[in-house]
Amino acid sequence: MTASHSPFVSLVGAGPGDPELLTLKAYRLIQAADVVVYDRLVSDEIMALVNPDAELLFVGKKLSQHCVPQDQINQILVDKALEGKHVVRLKGGDTFIFGRGGEELETLVEHNIGFEVVPGITAASGCSAYAGIPLTHRDHAQSVQFIAGHLKKEGRDIEWQSLAHNNHTLVFYMGLKQAPVIKTNLIAHGLASDTPCAIIERGTTSQQRVLTAQLCDLEDIANQAISPSLIIVGSVTRLHKKLSWFK
């Protein structure tokens, strides 16, 4: 790895919450970091493993409530790296799946700052596994798709027609507020109203809770859930009670 005096940032995925899901490399880096820039989805249990002498900078975001705007986060990474410190940018889940890691790296490249990327277990994989919901299954789904539950204001709308397939599993990140829109559009584009679905709240942590319903009732269970939560739509969610193992 680059010497500590050279500008360098490690972009690290922390996984969905359970500290035992950290990769060995992620654990080694947070133990050695001079600065850790972390977000809201990094669990307290994982933060407890960070080098106690490291400078901790919280840049968490919530829907419609950004603690630190993205451009400022990018600048923090640049500034701290240029101080000659080894910076770890610690993100919940995986750095490249709805984590805006690519945007942060682009800024580092513009400033000629070295970096590395350490993947993390994304929420869809971790939470579904702990909930006993296989994302693909020979009898239920031959494909899976990850969808951001909210878009940038200037972004394209979701192509709902491409999502409404019976042999398909849909995983919506950050979708609680958009549950009525998700339900309405999927049904309008051909998915049956009785399609099974599930919401996994605080997945892989000791506070994990799984709510199940039919698609027509998705809004009702979304109103009972709190963030962070993941929405899964598809017949694989029927397997939750049969395969659930995490207590």
Side-chain angles (χ1 to χ4, degrees):
M1 192 175 108
T2 304
S4 60
H5 63 270
S6 301
F8 197 85
V9 174
S10 298
L11 183 64
V12 177
D18 184 346
E20 292 190 329
L21 294 181
L22 278 173
T23 64
L24 290 174
K25 188 168 187 178
Y27 177 74
R28 174 174 60 79
L29 289 171
I30 65 175
Q31 288 269 294
D34 297 316
V35 180
V36 175
V37 181
Y38 67 105
D39 64 32
R40 185 177 66 93
L41 297 179
V42 179
S43 69
D44 292 341
E45 292 81 3
I46 289 174
M47 290 305 300
L49 300 175
V50 171
N51 175 10
D53 296 324
E55 179 182 2
L56 304 181
L57 299 175
F58 175 69
V59 293
K61 302 175 184 176
K62 296 177 69 173
L63 182 62
S64 303
Q65 183 183 338
H66 286 195
C67 176
V68 182
Q70 186 63 49
D71 60 345
Q72 291 185 28
I73 296 174
N74 299 347
Q75 192 60 48
I76 288 171
L77 297 178
V78 170
D79 293 343
K80 291 299 178 181
L82 290 176
E83 290 177 8
K85 297 177 179 178
H86 178 207
V87 181
V88 168
R89 173 64 171 111
L90 191 60
K91 292 174 172 286
D94 180 76
T95 57
F96 280 176
I97 298 182
F98 306 127
R100 303 187 73 171
E103 298 171 50
E104 295 173 359
L105 294 187
E106 286 181 303
T107 300
L108 297 179
V109 169
E110 291 168 3
H111 289 81
N112 297 311
I113 293 173
F115 62 85
E116 64 182 336
V117 180
V118 181
I121 293 177
T122 188
S125 178
C127 297
S128 64
Y130 276 50
I133 299 174
L135 295 178
T136 62
H137 187 288
R138 177 177 297 186
D139 298 328
H140 296 273
Q142 287 70 54
S143 59
V144 59
Q145 190 163 352
F146 302 162
I147 308 109
H150 63 79
L151 300 174
K152 4 180 347 186
K153 292 181 181 178
E154 67 274 19
R156 293 178 57 189
D157 193 13
I158 293 171
E159 295 181 0
W160 295 101
Q161 188 171 2
S162 68
L163 302 182
H165 302 291
N166 291 328
N167 62 340
H168 196 49
T169 301
L170 305 175
V171 183
F172 290 89
Y173 287 65
M174 305 163 288
L176 284 185
K177 295 288 186 182
Q178 297 300 320
V181 175
I182 293 170
K183 174 192 74 174
T184 299
N185 279 283
L186 288 178
I187 293 174
H189 287 83
L191 206 57
S193 62
D194 63 353
T195 300
C197 58
I199 293 178
I200 306 172
E201 178 185 290
R202 296 177 177 176
T204 79
T205 74
S206 59
Q207 293 83 40
Q208 175 176 295
R209 184 170 66 133
V210 181
L211 305 171
T212 58
Q214 295 181 339
L215 181 57
C216 58
D217 297 319
L218 178 61
E219 184 178 355
D220 294 336
I221 60 171
N223 288 334
Q224 301 173 40
I226 62 174
S227 181
S229 288
L230 199 73
I231 297 174
I232 301 179
V233 178
S235 66
V236 291
T237 61
R238 288 196 183 107
L239 297 170
H240 159 61
K241 291 185 178 179
K242 182 178 182 181
L243 302 181
S244 179
W245 60 272
F246 179 68
K247 307 297 183 184

